[in-house]
Amino acid sequence: MGKSQKKKSMRRHNPMRVPDSHLPKGLASASSASTKNEAILPIIQKMESPDASDRKWACVAVSNLIQNDPSTRRLLQGKNVVGALITRLTDSEEEVMIEAMGALRNLCIDGGYDICAEMYNKNILTPLKTFIPKISSVLSQYLEAPNTAPKNTQRLMYDFADNAITTLWCLSETSNKALDAINSINLIPFLMSFLVSRDKLSIAPVVAAAQCLYVLTDDNDVSSDSLKSDAGYLSCLLSIAQSSFQPSNDRGKDSDDRRQVTLRVLSSGILRNISPLPQPSAASFIDLDKDIMLPLLQPVIASVSLPETASRAQQLVDDLASEPRLERLSLQNTPRSDHKLSAEIELEQLEATLRTVQLALEILTGVCATLPEPSAGVEGDTEAENEDEDEDMANDDEVMDKMNVLDSETNDSSANPTVLPSLVPSLLSLIQPNSLSFHPLAASSPHPPTTSALSAIHISAMECLNNIFLSLATSPNTSVSADAEGGRKVWNEVWASLGAVGTEFGLGQERRKEMWEIGVGVLWGVAVVWKGTLSATEEQIQVLIRLCEGSSDERTRVKCIGALECLAQDPQSITSNQVIANFLLKLLPTASPNPVGTESLLQAASALIDIYSDETLPYDINFRQNGMLQILVASVEGVRKAVRGIDRKKPGGKDLRRRGEEVRDNLIAFIQYRRNLG
């Protein structure tokens, strides 16, 4: 079993907001899908115009044109809009530069990795680096004499800072090379200056700075060490995370209120990223998970109703579609980048709320990932295992302390009392999809940003559940395992979620597939916790078998086999036991070549040993009457060959070889044991 916690892999905190994966590759498919083909050429031409107003028009037009429109974005990419906008970052006119920065920022957050990589390769960091001291200088002047500059000028600078910082944190996730380049800029003092002066600044660039810090400190020693080296920075972050928040009664301040919550969540995430904190700082004496993370984050994830949010978003999208509006891209009129209808503003606010919930879940995934990988596991992240070995050897007291934190509250519903960890009810609610959760098959969502946020929430919530039940499976809690009703509820809720997700994994359906890959891990964990008492329907067993057979991902196959192994050990489910055993026997190497990968083979062999290790159980009749011993005997040589073929030099190879030798020896001993029984 494997935790969702990432170790040395790049992790994207901004999943593509407006994906184009539902479109076939190439410009032809984008051209046929876009309704704005004729607007593209004038934009590219005006980007090079000697008239500054034309150049500004072109930069603003890019932002307007790509809004929720991946096909038009791809066409613009084909015309080198990224290179043209980067050139405009050194424009002689300040307004052109500001609008170009805004358009690049929008391309980053909408288009994700590919566009960010293109920007990095086209050297966007060169002009971006020059903006850092300029922004710092202007902000210092504002802080010293806040009333000397016109409010419109201040707003423009705040927007520019927000856009530049957001672009930097998107770029930092592009590649290790890009991250190294951004590390060399030493952004920490610049970014922390926004948080330190947060009470005197607009909230937008402060949140952008916190978001950038959160990304830069995720598994990045350079930035983490820089942050930890300054006690003032730690004190500032702790102060924000622990601050009490009183919502404003002014409806006009709703957006700022939401951002204040986001800022607190981000600050807690930064502190967790850089933990353990150096002593003797005040923060080092605080149990971050118990005293800060859970009290702050649990109310955040419990505060949102995804069905209501999706329903409201759909209503707003319908309102926008039916509302006549002026054409923003008229060549005779200069577009305004800040002109938005009330429905558009509310959609952005809904998305911001969802993103905060997603962020809280992302941090909680780490909080829930409290235990080392089980020794019986053969899948999961294997890179840098040796250097993480000491960290993973947490003692049992520490493990149980963390589980006690997760168990500290229980569901108070008298109708359905349970001793499950207090996070579980909210998480089960957050994994249930709705009509906007995923893109329609071979089409785009009615509102891609909302769909991107909803699917990210479902996946993050599923990751949290995966880690919670991995922890419970590895360090059994008798109170939880005795709660059979709670186990059935979790099992049914996860299946309800996956059933609603569906199994159509075509173009644009990557998030559905990801839900299944994580969800089957949750099913495995739940099945381990309630092994022997949890029964599955015939349909559920067949779905797991088909998923195992159809998946090209070895880890997913291992999870399916692990879940089936546990389900086969329900003493009352003799028929299900036989169905599962027959499937597992087909995975054994009784003939060449092996029917599955080595990890799946080992998991299947180990599962059969575990299922039939007690000959007194009712379902053991299947072993005796179906010639299973002979099949196991025939598989021994194939298992030996598979184990010998494991390359120790590959990442995780040493552990897999050790695991393989253990399974091989157990298989031989098991065969001898069953033979002795006669």
Side-chain angles (χ1 to χ4, degrees):
M1 300 176 70
K3 294 189 289 287
S4 296
Q5 190 177 34
K6 302 295 191 295
K7 289 186 179 177
K8 294 296 182 181
S9 58
M10 292 294 291
R11 176 177 186 172
R12 290 199 62 79
H13 298 275
N14 62 326
M16 188 181 292
R17 185 170 175 263
V18 186
D20 63 352
S21 56
H22 64 285
L23 298 171
K25 291 184 178 181
L27 295 177
S29 61
S31 180
S32 63
S34 175
T35 60
K36 305 170 186 173
N37 292 354
E38 295 181 0
I40 291 175
L41 184 58
I43 289 174
I44 299 301
Q45 291 173 338
K46 285 180 176 287
M47 197 82 73
E48 305 295 333
S49 170
D51 187 337
S53 63
D54 283 347
R55 299 197 301 276
K56 177 184 176 183
W57 178 93
C59 294
V60 176
V62 170
S63 291
N64 290 334
L65 211 61
I66 67 170
Q67 187 175 25
N68 300 333
D69 191 342
S71 56
T72 302
R73 185 183 72 231
R74 187 187 290 183
L75 292 177
L76 282 166
Q77 276 186 271
K79 296 294 184 180
N80 190 32
V81 71
V82 169
L85 286 168
I86 291 174
T87 300
R88 297 278 69 83
L89 292 181
T90 54
D91 198 280
S92 58
E93 292 292 329
E94 188 176 79
E95 288 191 359
V96 175
M97 179 184 67
I98 290 173
E99 295 297 350
M101 189 72 259
L104 286 164
R105 177 259 188 194
N106 291 340
L107 283 168
C108 274
I109 64 171
D110 279 5
Y113 173 83
D114 287 340
I115 284 184
C116 291
E118 182 183 353
M119 290 182 188
Y120 175 75
N121 291 333
K122 291 182 176 177
N123 207 24
I124 190 176
L125 284 181
T126 295
L128 276 181
K129 285 190 286 190
T130 67
F131 296 154
I132 305 303
K134 292 178 181 178
I135 294 172
S136 294
S137 175
V138 173
L139 287 180
S140 295
Q141 295 174 23
Y142 287 169
L143 291 172
E144 291 172 2
N147 298 321
T148 58
K151 286 193 176 296
N152 186 56
T153 303
Q154 290 189 36
R155 185 184 61 79
L156 287 175
M157 181 49 64
Y158 287 146
D159 289 346
F160 184 75
D162 183 353
N163 292 334
I165 293 169
T166 299
T167 303
L168 283 166
W169 73 257
C170 290
L171 289 170
S172 71
E173 298 182 306
T174 303
S175 66
N176 287 324
K177 185 183 293 185
L179 179 61
D180 289 342
I182 290 173
N183 279 338
S184 69
I185 303 175
N186 189 23
L187 285 175
I188 301 302
F190 168 71
L191 297 172
M192 281 303 304
S193 67
F194 286 86
L195 273 66
V196 170
S197 303
R198 61 192 179 280
D199 293 336
K200 302 176 183 178
L201 299 174
S202 168
I203 186 64
V206 177
V207 171
Q211 178 72 72
C212 193
L213 283 165
Y214 174 65
V215 173
L216 286 177
T217 54
D218 183 11
D219 199 16
N220 179 18
D221 290 342
V222 175
S223 292
S224 294
D225 291 345
S226 176
L227 199 56
K228 288 194 288 187
S229 66
D230 191 309
Y233 293 166
L234 298 179
S235 177
C236 173
L237 290 168
L238 186 63
S239 175
I240 296 172
Q242 291 183 314
S243 62
S244 58
F245 173 67
Q246 296 296 329
S248 170
N249 293 323
D250 183 354
R251 289 184 59 85
K253 294 289 186 179
D254 282 355
S255 179
D256 284 356
D257 287 349
R258 278 186 287 271
R259 286 172 169 170
Q260 290 290 350
V261 174
T262 304
L263 179 60
R264 293 182 64 205
V265 172
L266 284 166
S267 297
S268 72
I270 297 166
L271 287 170
R272 198 169 201 286
N273 282 348
I274 64 176
S275 62
L277 303 179
Q279 296 184 356
S281 65
S284 66
F285 298 103
I286 294 175
D287 184 328
L288 288 178
D289 288 350
K290 181 179 179 181
D291 298 331
I292 293 181
M293 304 300 160
L294 288 168
L296 170 61
L297 303 179
Q298 190 163 349
V300 171
I301 69 169
S303 66
V304 65
S305 168
L306 297 189
E308 290 180 8
T309 301
S311 176
R312 179 57 182 161
Q314 184 64 65
Q315 181 182 348
L316 292 168
V317 169
D318 293 342
D319 290 347
L320 284 173
S322 62
E323 182 174 340
R325 56 190 305 176
L326 296 176
E327 176 57 62
R328 290 185 179 184
L329 292 176
S330 168
L331 297 179
Q332 288 76 38
N333 299 296
T334 300
R336 293 175 56 195
S337 61
D338 60 346
H339 177 67
K340 294 176 182 176
L341 300 176
S342 59
E344 292 175 312
I345 294 172
E346 187 174 348
L347 279 169
E348 289 184 354
Q349 292 171 345
L350 290 175
E351 182 193 358
T353 298
L354 294 175
R355 291 295 182 191
T356 300
V357 173
Q358 176 206 344
L359 175 65
L361 288 166
E362 189 175 280
I363 298 168
L364 284 171
T365 299
V367 175
C368 297
T370 58
L371 299 179
E373 304 292 340
S375 59
V378 294
E379 57 89 19
D381 295 318
T382 55
E383 189 177 353
E385 286 176 346
N386 289 338
E387 73 176 290
D388 289 326
E389 184 176 351
D390 291 339
E391 175 186 336
D392 283 348
M393 294 300 290
N395 63 57
D396 290 341
D397 289 340
E398 291 172 336
V399 167
M400 293 314 299
D401 283 347
K402 184 61 63 66
M403 287 311 302
N404 287 338
V405 172
L406 291 174
D407 292 343
S408 60
E409 298 177 23
T410 60
N411 185 351
D412 292 332
S413 172
S414 58
N416 185 27
T418 177
V419 293
L420 287 171
S422 57
L423 289 173
V424 170
S426 293
L427 295 174
L428 291 175
S429 173
L430 294 175
I431 63 172
Q432 304 303 328
N434 54 63
S435 59
L436 287 181
S437 292
F438 300 98
H439 291 273
L441 299 178
S444 184
S445 162
H447 192 251
T450 297
T451 292
S452 173
L454 285 169
S455 59
I457 286 174
H458 299 322
I459 287 169
S460 295
M462 196 71 86
E463 287 178 329
C464 283
L465 287 169
N466 180 65
N467 286 352
I468 285 174
F469 288 105
L470 169 65
S471 299
L472 290 169
T474 310
S475 283
N477 183 316
T478 54
S479 297
V480 173
S481 58
D483 181 15
E485 179 62 29
R488 281 190 292 272
K489 175 177 172 56
V490 174
W491 179 260
N492 291 335
E493 290 285 334
V494 175
W495 272 109
S497 166
L498 295 176
V501 170
T503 55
E504 297 289 343
F505 300 149
L507 284 177
Q509 304 306 313
E510 297 81 8
R511 303 298 263 176
R512 293 182 194 266
K513 184 179 180 182
E514 194 173 352
M515 275 288 282
W516 270 97
E517 290 173 347
I518 300 168
V520 74
V522 179
L523 293 174
W524 186 9
V526 173
V528 170
V529 173
W530 285 281
K531 184 192 298 185
T533 62
L534 188 66
S535 59
T537 66
E538 180 181 348
E539 181 183 2
Q540 289 169 349
I541 291 171
Q542 289 301 322
V543 168
L544 288 172
I545 289 174
R546 289 196 298 270
L547 182 61
C548 185
E549 292 175 328
S551 177
S552 60
D553 180 63
E554 186 76 347
R555 292 179 298 176
T556 300
R557 290 197 294 265
V558 168
K559 293 173 186 177
C560 291
I561 295 168
L564 289 167
E565 170 192 344
C566 298
L567 295 173
Q569 296 180 61
D570 176 17
Q572 309 304 318
S573 303
I574 297 176
T575 301
S576 295
N577 174 278
Q578 183 171 343
V579 170
I580 293 170
N582 289 341
F583 169 68
L584 296 177
L585 288 168
K586 293 178 183 178
L587 305 182
L588 298 183
T590 53
S592 186
N594 293 342
V596 291
T598 300
E599 294 181 57
S600 298
L601 182 159
L602 295 175
Q603 190 70 32
S606 177
L608 286 163
I609 295 169
D610 194 30
I611 292 168
Y612 296 110
S613 60
D614 186 349
E615 70 280 4
T616 66
L617 291 170
Y619 54 70
D620 195 72
I621 190 173
N622 293 326
F623 186 90
R624 299 190 300 271
Q625 293 186 353
N626 291 282
M628 293 187 190
L629 181 60
Q630 289 74 18
I631 299 174
L632 291 176
V633 171
S635 72
V636 170
E637 187 55 35
V639 171
R640 283 175 172 153
K641 288 181 180 179
V643 173
R644 286 197 299 268
I646 297 172
D647 187 351
R648 288 190 179 95
K649 296 180 181 179
K650 289 185 177 180
K654 289 182 180 179
D655 285 345
L656 183 58
R657 179 62 177 265
R658 190 182 309 118
R659 163 72 168 156
E661 291 170 349
E662 177 187 348
V663 172
R664 176 201 62 200
D665 295 344
N666 288 344
L667 178 61
I668 294 171
F670 177 74
I671 290 172
Q672 187 60 47
Y673 172 74
R674 296 298 306 212
R675 277 175 170 166
N676 292 339
L677 288 176

